[in-house]
Amino acid sequence: MADTTVPVFSLTELRKGADQEKFRRCVTEMGVFYLTDYGVREKDHRLAADTAMDFFEHGTPEEKEAVTTKIPTMRRGYSALEAESTAQVTNTGTYTDYSMSYSMGVSGNLFPSQRFETVWTDHFTSLYAAAREAARVVLNATGTYDAGDMDKLLDCDPVLRLRYFPEVPEHRAAEREPRRMAPHYDLSIITLIHQTPCANGFVSLQAEIGGTMVDLPAVPDAVIVLCGAIAPLATQGAVPAPQHHVRAPGAGMREGSDRMSSVFFLRPSTDFTFSVPKARTYGLDVSLDAETATFGEWIGTNYITMHATTES
């Protein structure tokens, strides 16, 4: 198992009541952990990833255009290399995300083929079940949950996204642009991340813990669980939403630095309502000018900004 300072928990054991105090400290102090025994097999992750990669590599420009959404507030279908900028959303720069991706949700999907739809729908269903169970143990860990009926909260609007980070070109090496993706927290209840390691050993994903960015290497048979921005809103600020980013390799580490990341965002329904002032006291950046807002209003503006074109 990979060496990591972030603890590893078994979902099966957590549901039995094991490691509760250790888990509570991890959730409240870090907001990130590894999870095993969560009900999704490695071969299913590989099948979904390989299906997307085959489309990335062999899909024609016309086929990719056909599954590129025209709705700026939704993550669906294909997103080309450098088509998005997390830095623009977080006001930390104008550089693009050095990745391409494919995304799906519960509706409004754009599938390139029937086989693709079958593989991804099965994988989505399995990850949705796993994410809901993981979210339950997170939200119950602190004893401060106050977001109403938890079953209703977790019957939500998730997104599954496969990101491929190719080897960076010279102008995107760390010496010139330190990151493939800017620091951010996720707009989710929790996020599950299954990643492939870089062949050359470079660790690209990091999360902020105690003011320091800590490596999150790939761990066999495990996913990373990151608590998202809805977690503090639902637990009276007890659970943080850690910042994380994707580093660029240095010039000497570019070869063999490509990686894949399968990311499942357990997002609340668009009508989930929260207090804007409270969100700000929890350290969340909500620019909406209102006392209360819905999740749909919050995330919609972010997606539009992410896809805005900016001269750099």
Side-chain angles (χ1 to χ4, degrees), residues 9-24 137:
F9 296 95
S10 160
L11 181 56
T12 299
E13 295 303 310
L14 287 174
R15 293 178 67 189
K16 291 178 181 177
D19 298 321
Q20 290 302 296
E21 181 55 27
K22 179 181 178 183
F23 184 65
R24 185 195 65 77
V137 298

Side-chain angles (χ1 to χ4, degrees), residues 76 104-106 124 128 156-160 264-268:
R76 294 292 188 271
M104 72 164 288
V106 293
F124 179 93
Y128 191 7
C156 51
D157 187 25
V159 170
L160 171 60
F264 192 88
F265 301 94
L266 188 68
R267 307 183 322 173

Side-chain angles (χ1 to χ4, degrees), residues 107-252:
S107 62
N109 293 305
L110 300 167
F111 296 112
S113 70
Q114 183 59 56
R115 178 180 179 276
F116 195 114
E117 179 176 357
T118 299
V119 169
W120 267 63
T121 299
D122 288 347
H123 195 47
F124 179 93
T125 301
S126 297
L127 283 169
Y128 191 7
R132 280 183 288 195
E133 289 307 304
R136 285 185 192 278
V137 298
V138 168
L139 295 174
N140 283 325
T142 65
T144 59
Y145 177 77
D146 70 347
D149 186 336
M150 192 179 296
D151 287 339
K152 183 178 179 180
L153 176 68
L154 299 180
D155 181 15
C156 51
D157 187 25
V159 170
L160 171 60
R161 165 165 275 208
L162 189 286
R163 280 190 181 272
Y164 174 57
F165 295 86
E167 294 179 4
V168 297
E170 289 185 11
H171 73 277
R172 288 298 299 259
E175 291 83 356
R176 300 182 65 179
E177 184 56 72
R179 299 181 180 94
R180 289 165 160 170
M181 184 184 296
H184 63 284
Y185 50 77
D186 290 339
L187 297 187
S188 64
I189 304 167
I190 63 166
T191 302
L192 306 185
I193 302 177
H194 180 275
Q195 59 178 337
T196 58
C198 298
N200 65 8
F202 178 70
V203 177
S204 201
L205 181 62
Q206 294 184 317
E208 185 176 6
I209 298 173
T212 301
M213 282 294 185
V214 173
D215 285 351
L216 296 176
V219 170
D221 301 311
V223 287
I224 297 162
V225 180
L226 280 162
C227 297
I230 305 305
L233 294 177
T235 61
Q236 302 178 55
V239 177
Q243 293 271 340
H244 50 286
H245 66 186
V246 181
R247 295 191 300 158

Side-chain angles (χ1 to χ4, degrees), residues 283-306:
L284 303 174
D285 183 13
V286 184
S287 59
L288 297 170
D289 185 18
E291 283 296 308
T292 62
T294 65
F295 181 71
E297 290 168 337
W298 189 15
I299 199 166
T301 57
N302 280 7
Y303 282 174
I304 292 170
T305 304
M306 178 176 286

